[in-house]
Amino acid sequence: MDNKKYRVLFFDSGIGGLSVYQETMKHNDIIPSYLFDNLHFPYGIQPDDVVIETVVKLLKNFTERYLTDLIVIACNTASTVALQYVRENVRIPVVGVVPAVKPAAQISVNKVIGLLATPATVRRPYTMELIDRFASDCMVLKIGSSELVEIAERKMMGLPYDRKIIGQVLREWCEGNLVPDTVVLGCTHFPHLRKEIQEVLPYAKLIDSGDAIARRVGYLLKELQNNHIPSVEMENSDNIITLNEAVAFCTDGSKITSCLQQGFSGFGFKRVEVFKV
Ligand code: DGL
């Protein structure tokens, strides 16, 4: 078995995927890159066809230009609609993130679960199927919010944000008889607000998919290492760029600010560059 370091690309509309990246880095020795589509951010209010087309195009182009062994779509909103199309268009393993409904249903005692995600994710057929399949014995209350996504972005960039909004968004889960004892953070931006959300919902158990994704990545990297999954032989490999350090890429260079650069450097990225298709 060699000690090859694999190159893993994390993808999201914004900084949310860094929560998945962080969990993955705890357990795996990899060379990460991070691509975020700040041109179309937030995905939670975009039509499905725009998300599918954009995500497929970006990931296909990125993996043709930069040597990549595995992709993590670290975005529930993109995974719940575009995962199968990405898999059809790239030749490397793709891991998607979907709301952690199954573990939430297993640990909920009062059988009332809250699903906190983007407006798109809470209405997706994929999400409904997850609930029917794994949480049919539970009442699943849903809140779709892009305001919390924006707040998470501001927090990560060290910009001021209004904490009161978090309480307002979650108000219906704080009072009355139907209060969830378990809340699924079904958007990768929300673990960045875990402390603030927990303050508003002190009795709820907050669940996200970060740890499960980290373990899935670890499993697939072992499969690659043991040649159970063929590593892709890159055609035109002379033209492909090999990154040997953590670099972040965004789709709208006009939004690269010093706050953004600093935010990413806090997560170990050397720089933020523009990626143009
Ligand atoms: N972080 C994303 C998710 O997991 C999407 C946020 C957005 O762009 O609306 O759903």
Side-chain angles (χ1 to χ4, degrees):
M1 209 145 73
D2 57 9
N3 284 325
K4 176 176 161 144
K5 269 199 181 188
Y6 287 99
R7 290 177 174 76
V8 177
L9 170 66
F10 295 82
F11 174 78
D12 187 26
S13 57
I15 55 101
L18 289 172
S19 63
V20 177
Y21 155 83
Q22 252 181 328
E23 280 300 318
T24 308
M25 294 302 281
K26 278 188 205 161
H27 306 286
N28 299 284
D29 190 14
I30 55 174
I31 299 172
S33 49
Y34 190 92
L35 172 62
F36 62 108
D37 186 13
N38 54 348
L39 197 59
H40 297 97
F41 170 89
Y43 275 2
I45 56 167
Q46 295 286 0
D48 292 5
D49 55 340
V50 171
V51 175
I52 294 170
E53 198 188 316
T54 311
V55 174
V56 169
K57 204 197 286 174
L58 282 172
L59 293 178
K60 188 168 165 15
N61 276 269
F62 189 94
T63 52
E64 284 166 359
R65 212 173 304 166
Y66 292 94
L67 188 65
T68 310
D69 298 296
L70 187 132
I71 297 172
V72 179
I73 304 182
C75 172
N76 294 263
T77 312
S79 297
T80 48
V81 75
L83 183 57
Q84 76 177 94
Y85 301 101
V86 175
R87 285 192 171 136
E88 283 163 17
N89 280 278
V90 301
R91 296 152 63 219
I92 53 175
V94 185
V95 178
V97 178
V98 298
V101 169
K102 185 180 175 186
Q106 285 164 349
I107 62 165
S108 173
V109 175
N110 73 351
K111 297 294 169 196
V112 182
I113 295 173
L115 171 60
L116 183 61
T118 63
T121 297
V122 295
R123 65 169 164 72
R124 289 257 153 83
Y126 188 102
T127 307
M128 303 307 161
E129 278 161 34
L130 270 185
I131 293 170
D132 285 349
R133 199 155 156 222
F134 298 114
S136 55
D137 60 336
C138 297
M139 169 162 279
V140 182
L141 310 174
K142 305 179 198 84
I143 294 178
S145 170
S146 284
E147 286 154 303
L148 296 192
V149 175
E150 300 276 357
I151 288 178
E153 291 276 324
R154 294 189 67 81
K155 181 181 173 189
M156 184 268 183
M157 282 186 250
L159 298 170
Y161 59 95
D162 188 354
R163 275 178 101 106
K164 278 201 308 294
I165 296 175
I166 302 172
Q168 286 160 9
V169 169
L170 297 172
R171 189 166 39 217
E172 60 194 80
W173 290 351
C174 301
E175 50 206 36
N177 296 330
L178 273 184
V179 171
D181 68 353
T182 309
V183 169
V184 179
L185 303 180
C187 168
T188 54
H189 278 74
F190 299 163
H192 296 296
L193 298 174
R194 180 181 290 276
K195 216 168 81 232
E196 293 81 351
I197 293 171
Q198 193 74 79
E199 266 169 36
V200 176
L201 304 171
Y203 303 112
K205 218 172 173 29
L206 306 181
I207 312 269
D208 66 68
S209 309
D211 185 57
I213 299 304
R215 279 185 280 119
R216 179 74 190 151
V217 169
Y219 168 80
L220 288 172
L221 294 180
K222 281 210 183 72
E223 290 288 280
L224 280 169
Q225 210 162 31
N226 294 328
N227 294 320
H228 294 158
I229 306 174
S231 291
V232 170
E233 292 299 324
M234 292 290 175
E235 289 152 14
N236 308 322
S237 54
D238 286 351
N239 297 329
I240 199 139
I241 302 167
T242 304
L243 294 168
N244 288 316
E245 57 187 9
V247 181
F249 298 84
C250 66
T251 49
D252 183 356
S254 71
K255 294 186 193 146
I256 301 180
T257 58
S258 58
C259 292
L260 186 84
Q261 298 270 18
Q262 264 167 35
F264 272 91
S265 97
F267 282 86
F269 288 88
K270 298 290 172 210
R271 55 187 183 277
V272 183
E273 288 181 13
V274 190
F275 179 75
K276 286 250 177 284
V277 174

